[in-house]
Amino acid sequence: MSTHELKTGPLEYRTQEGQMSILGFWIFLGAEVVLFSTLFATYAVLFGRTADAPVPADLFEPGITLVMTFLLLTSSFTCGLAIHQMRAGSLKGLITWLVITLGLGLGFLGFEIYEFIHYAHEGATLQSSSFWSAFFVLAGTHGVHVTLGIGWAVLLIIQLVKRGLTPVTSRKVFVISLYWHFLDVIWIFIFTSVYLIGMVV
Amino acid sequence: MQLDEFFVTGEPLIYGGMVSIVLVTSAIIFLLTYLKRWGWLWREWLTTVDHKKIGIMYILSALAMLFRGGVDALMMRVQLAFPNMNFLNSQHYNEIFTTHGTVMIIFMAMPFLVGLMNIIVPLQIGARDFAFPFVNAVSFWSFFFGAMLFNISFVIGGSPDAGWTSYTPLAGAALSPGPGQNFYLMGLQLAGIGTLATGINLMVTILKMRAPGMKMFDMPIFTWSTLVTSFIIIFAFPILTVALALLTIDRIFGSQFFTLTGEGMPMMWANLFWMWGHPEVYIVILPAFGIFSEIIATFARKQLFGYKAMVWSMILIAGLSFLVWVHHFFTMGAGALVNSVFSVSTMLIAVPTGVKIFNWLATLYKSRIQMTTAMMWSLAFIPSFVIGGVTGVMLGMAAADYQFHNSYFLIAHFHYVLIAGTVFACFAGLVYWYPKMFGHKLNERIGKHSFWWFLIGFHVCFFPQYFVGLDGMPRRVFAILPEWMPLNVISTVGAFGMGVGFVIFVYNIYYSYRYSKREEKGDAWDGRTLEWATPTPVPFYNFATLPEINGRDAFLSMKKNNETTFDEERLEPIHMPSNTGQPIIMMAILAFASFALVFEWIGLAVIGLIGTLIMMGIRSFDYDDGYHVEVDEIKKIERSARGL
Amino acid sequence: MSKNTKHVPVQHIIGFLLSIVLTLLAVWAALGSNLPVAWIIIAIMALAIIQAGIQLFMFMHMTESSSGGGHVPWNMMFHGFVLAAIIVAGSLFTMSFGFHHDHGSHTDHQEESSHQHD
Amino acid sequence: MKHMTKNKWFSFFLIGAVMLLSGCNQLVVFDPKGPVAQSQKDLIMYSLIFMMIIVVVVFVLFAFMVYKFRDRPNRKSSDYDPDIHGNTMIEIIWTVIPLAIVIALSIPTVQTIYDLEKPSAEGTDEEPLVIYATSADWKWFFSYPEQNIETVNYLHIPTGRDIEFRLSSADSMAALWIPALGGQKYNMAGMETVLYLQADEPGVYDGRNSNFNGEGFAKQTFKVHAESKEQFEDWVQSIQIEKPALTQEQYDTLLEPGLTNTMAFSSTHLQWVDHGTNEGRDYSIERHEDAYGKLLHLENINKSNQPQEVGE
């Protein structure tokens, strides 16, 4: 069936395989929504159960979280630009924007690691209470997703350099762009319901 | 760690288990070597990405698991019928009911149904294979290694013993130290990943790979049930993934989610577990409904009554299944409002289910029922399931549930729905599609023996349990009061009846392999749906050509119009995926990592995880496009298969 | 929807600016305004949902017709978010609300201890 | 063979009905000894009527269909119509009827749920008797704060008065179930659930933990002695006079996972810990951290494992 290749439209949609992979990934993202919402639910239920550890309002800082948010929002934007370049047929533009995206992602990760270490020094660790367990696992799961995304994107950049823009590589890049935007969606909710509400309540 | 801590010691039954594992394994190795079949095994089975072969491997594993779970069940029944014989002590009994429940739900019911879906769904919609054959193989091996990891626990490290629901704080590190509970967590996690991937795979397959002209409301009902099931899988399994991960982190890395220390919240586990657990019940029951619908329509020689109502009721059941989870812990004291809300939502499920029952009965109206074995399983399902269903409604009434909860009334209820629903469907489906899979039917006479043994055994086993439950007998006890004895003895007799039924069923597989007439045509039962349009054995590419489909019961109209799936004019090369060893290797490495995590060997686990990631990287760089089956070869295969 | 023929990705730039503005608005609502806490939570959650919509519709090409996916991506996201609401709200409903009861002095220990830090 | 199918079902159903009708008066849930169990029995009986109707209707229809439309020689050809695909009217009917049944079941269910959350109407002349029922692996502590006494693994209650059980657990989750008096509720550490029960008839009833909580689960049972108000007062007095006070040291020893005999004390453990509070949730875990992994090797005939009825 792959022989029936479309002649128009974005490269990634032209083959049946391409369409199916992208559709499958959307469905996977549906599952990811549920995965993260379970973590959010756990966090919400365990909210306030800090036992002897510090309370979030004392540790969360607006500055650093805002910087992290802007880093990730910008990386989502640059990732969108990368796809724009890809659809315009520019391999060089695509790779450039992808690399910028990854740089921003690495910056985000750096801040997150710094933040975690900082909290641990203040006495809030994974083990200290159920609230902090929920916090670290929720934020950490997002962080692990970002890390995997970076590793995955690096592999794709190598493939792009080797093979150029084909239906297969452009499909792969499109899928990771979905993943990256999705992680931004999740971060928006972490930023809002964990950090902002944690600072307010 | 000392060896005697690593291996479970001191139980004669477990030594027996060890010996038989060693014997069976060496027998298999010997046979494979003696018959020089290692290469065949690797090329034809272990590296296959063919949905039909993967489906067969699912079903074989599920039958093995049914045997294991069934032996557990019989051991429990023996203990309860002769509590003074001291057949099992308390600890051993706890381990056995835990593994019985887990194995039956996770490693028997689901893989059996997934196996049938694997084989049948692509054939029913006229597809070449799954949307992602590679992922399908990964799914199977993750299930397989998950099941192996879970099952090895009884000889290495010790079985989990906190019930299949694994409630915290009992299952937490403080109250259940040691690897037993970790086996449960890692085994389910591993299998769960595969199930989620299968759900996505099936959904894309059904949405994107239907035969030309086949609209959604033209799909065979089993395919519909698969689609709805995959929807539930996609939205329910991530909850399990998270719940298991949280408990794993609790146990291995010392977090405080479900602990008694650090202001943890043990009840949150029950909440998360049942948020997955209730939809899970429908994951194993909806495909069963689909199977029965197909079989009843086929052998009633009549189209399904109220097709659209059947589909919509399945969709409604799927939606409601996410809104009722609290009925598993009404007794938690969540308050009158919570209990009332969930009581009503629970009972509402009875409405679409009732609609389905009546539709099946109406399908029988003015039909011509052929009493084949598959049909008998399907017919027996209706009244048996109704008993389970009405008692389910009773359990849903929270105020009454305070008396039913945790009692044998509950046990009787869910065995009535899960055996009469799922297990009957597995047997019915296997009998029905057996000729499509293996090229010969199962013997009808022996099949009916096995049916009657199993059916009567089932009712004798579980019907008394309603009453012993109402007499106050709680579940999961290894010692009972004298007044519960008579009903328990009856139950045990019934359980052995079911055991005999199963043995006859397995014997039938052997007998039919030896003596059954080989199928010459693909259409063994004068079927209605597309899977019967292919020749038997099904060519590895499934369909050479497909006519334009319009309307339901596609094969029925094809037969009317004298169409086949072999139109020589329209032959084109068919693109096929190549076999690959990557899935089994990838999952073996992940299983190794999980095993290391069970014993909390963090270093080894990290190595295993890195290995898995490397395998995924290798896969990413793998641009193997598969190959094409040329027109001449298709012609040759189809002609010989169709005797042209 | 697809902008691949144009050279300036207008939609992306609008989306980006909107998300920056909405983020700042949420920060102001949470930390700068004097609204009651309940209103703050409602307001910033609403802003988050709008932002998620921006990502999905303006960045992720969710409704692109040439994808061949039909309504499925939209459908999966919609049901995913419905499920998310059920899971979060349902857990809070059954897990926190439930353990209140109105007698004597022993009520709501966990509530007290969880709010004493507030 | 085909004929058998129908008969088999019919006989199953008959046997079931007979067992049900004859068994009703002996099964403990159908033999209530108090208003709570009575209201639950009433609800179950009410639902059972609907369920029997459904079962009868389905079974009769099923038997008719299978018998009438089985494939056999010389069937009338008018009895076979493969093209019936549906009938909107009849489908609406069999959607509406189950819906009506669900509504008919929901109303009394919700009513009973709310009723069970407060003391029963019959016992309004007196305040409920408060008993703290605490589960610990694998024993029961019953503390009577007003009387300042505590019993282990047995319970005395006055008849005709509401008992307000305040349930909690020192470690694993349990459930207090006295089927003759009414349904169960969970005991959980760090939380307190309330269960109202009442006995109308004097007698000795079985009570147990019904929620699986480990090796000693099957043995975590107790007897409930329901007796007249005067007898209850006498019993309380005798405990207050004859039994020693409970020391924290002794209590901590008793908390260790394992089985114990029945005991009674003239003071309660509530003076130093209430496991239903956040502060009391890890009391036992901290003291017996290493004891939870040990096996009791509990076997059924080992008499020394079983709680003995002493000290009453």
Side-chain angles (χ1 to χ4, degrees), chain D residues 148-166:
Chain D
N148 198 32
I149 57 171
E150 177 153 321
T151 58
V152 180
N153 283 339
Y154 77 105
L155 179 63
H156 278 246
I157 54 170
T159 52
R161 182 176 174 189
D162 276 301
I163 315 294
E164 178 179 317
F165 286 103
R166 298 188 180 175

Side-chain angles (χ1 to χ4, degrees), chain B residues 83-84 86 90 175 260 263-264 267 301 306 309 331 366-369 399 402-403 405-406 470-471 479, chain D residues 28-29 40 69 71 75 79-81 85 91 173 177 179 184-186 188 210-211 215 281 285 298 300-301:
Chain B
N84 293 328
N86 257 324
S90 178
L175 269 59
L260 292 175
E263 297 199 35
M267 287 317 297
R301 315 239 60 86
T331 52
K366 292 211 170 185
S367 68
R368 213 169 64 214
I369 301 171
Y402 302 155
Q403 285 281 33
H405 187 64
N406 272 335
L470 290 171
D471 204 21
Chain D
V28 60
V29 170
Q40 284 163 335
F69 299 110
D71 193 17
R75 261 182 55 170
D79 272 352
Y80 179 55
D81 182 1
H85 54 80
E91 287 177 56
M173 191 171 90
W177 190 27
Q184 65 206 286
K185 229 177 221 185
Y186 287 162
M188 294 163 286
S210 64
N211 192 69
E215 199 187 357
R281 68 207 324 263
I285 297 284
L298 198 57
N300 194 39
I301 48 172

Side-chain angles (χ1 to χ4, degrees), chain D:
Chain D
M1 187 64 93
K2 284 146 206 157
H3 203 72
M4 256 174 74
T5 323
K6 191 200 132 204
N7 280 346
K8 186 119 345 208
W9 289 115
F10 194 63
S11 57
F12 261 127
F13 177 64
L14 268 186
I15 293 167
V18 169
M19 281 174 81
L20 199 69
L21 294 173
S22 65
C24 278
N25 295 325
Q26 290 136 40
L27 300 173
V28 60
V29 170
F30 288 139
D31 186 18
K33 303 292 187 195
V36 174
Q38 182 66 47
S39 70
Q40 284 163 335
K41 181 200 169 185
D42 292 345
L43 186 64
I44 294 170
M45 283 322 222
Y46 172 79
S47 66
L48 213 49
I49 295 167
F50 286 95
M51 300 310 153
M52 289 307 257
I53 294 170
I54 295 169
V55 167
V56 168
V57 168
V58 172
F59 277 40
V60 167
L61 275 174
F62 175 78
F64 168 76
M65 299 290 182
V66 172
Y67 182 73
K68 179 92 192 289
F69 299 110
R70 70 195 195 281
D71 193 17
R72 60 187 191 279
N74 332 322
R75 261 182 55 170
K76 275 186 289 180
S77 61
S78 62
D79 272 352
Y80 179 55
D81 182 1
D83 293 323
I84 306 175
H85 54 80
N87 181 327
T88 315
M89 198 55 216
I90 198 167
E91 287 177 56
I92 289 173
I93 290 173
W94 66 46
T95 314
V96 169
I97 291 176
L99 203 58
I101 294 178
V102 167
I103 292 168
L105 291 173
S106 294
I107 293 164
T109 302
V110 171
Q111 244 161 15
T112 316
I113 292 172
Y114 275 90
D115 287 345
L116 295 182
E117 294 294 318
K118 48 184 193 274
S120 72
E122 292 172 40
T124 40
D125 52 331
E126 261 182 305
E127 280 293 293
L129 172 68
V130 173
I131 300 177
Y132 282 76
T134 308
S135 156
D137 282 2
W138 293 278
K139 55 193 88 70
W140 288 98
F141 295 94
F142 298 105
S143 321
Y144 301 66
E146 289 162 45
Q147 289 74 14
N148 198 32
I149 57 171
E150 177 153 321
T151 58
V152 180
N153 283 339
Y154 77 105
L155 179 63
H156 278 246
I157 54 170
T159 52
R161 182 176 174 189
D162 276 301
I163 315 294
E164 178 179 317
F165 286 103
R166 298 188 180 175
L167 309 177
S168 67
S169 164
D171 35 44
S172 56
M173 191 171 90
L176 181 96
W177 190 27
I178 309 166
L181 302 186
Q184 65 206 286
K185 229 177 221 185
Y186 287 162
N187 300 59
M188 294 163 286
M191 296 177 195
E192 186 182 87
T193 41
V194 174
L195 176 66
Y196 291 100
L197 295 176
Q198 183 182 330
D200 285 340
E201 285 176 43
V204 181
Y205 308 121
D206 285 326
R208 66 160 53 249
N209 166 23
S210 64
N211 192 69
F212 176 68
N213 64 345
E215 199 187 357
F217 165 62
K219 306 285 184 191
Q220 197 182 352
T221 59
F222 58 94
K223 292 282 182 202
V224 185
H225 303 261
E227 55 207 8
S228 69
K229 203 179 161 190
E230 294 71 37
Q231 281 176 308
F232 176 72
E233 298 291 341
D234 290 346
W235 172 78
V236 168
Q237 249 178 6
S238 73
I239 300 289
Q240 283 168 338
I241 294 166
E242 288 166 23
K243 296 297 173 184
L246 179 61
T247 65
Q248 185 163 10
E249 199 183 349
Q250 189 180 9
Y251 180 69
D252 289 356
T253 323
L254 283 175
L255 277 181
E256 189 175 349
L259 304 173
T260 48
N261 294 330
T262 56
M263 285 180 222
F265 301 99
S266 56
S267 70
T268 74
H269 73 265
L270 296 173
Q271 47 193 316
W272 56 83
V273 62
D274 175 357
H275 298 283
T277 64
N278 208 19
E279 296 74 45
R281 68 207 324 263
D282 51 3
Y283 184 88
S284 185
I285 297 284
E286 281 183 352
R287 281 166 179 74
H288 300 295
E289 208 175 339
D290 300 325
Y292 286 97
K294 291 194 185 118
L295 285 183
L296 302 178
H297 297 291
L298 198 57
E299 302 208 325
N300 194 39
I301 48 172
N302 193 345
K303 285 289 180 224
S304 64
N305 288 329
Q306 265 165 345
Q308 304 288 312
E309 293 272 328
V310 290
E312 284 171 44

Side-chain angles (χ1 to χ4, degrees), chain B residues 268-302:
Chain B
M268 189 61 187
W269 166 265
N271 185 58
L272 293 180
F273 183 86
W274 287 116
M275 262 187 195
W276 159 78
H278 197 82
E280 163 69 14
V281 173
Y282 288 92
I283 291 172
V284 296
I285 208 73
L286 286 181
F289 288 171
I291 293 169
F292 291 132
S293 302
E294 296 285 352
I295 294 173
I296 288 174
T298 303
F299 294 112
R301 315 239 60 86
K302 187 164 169 286

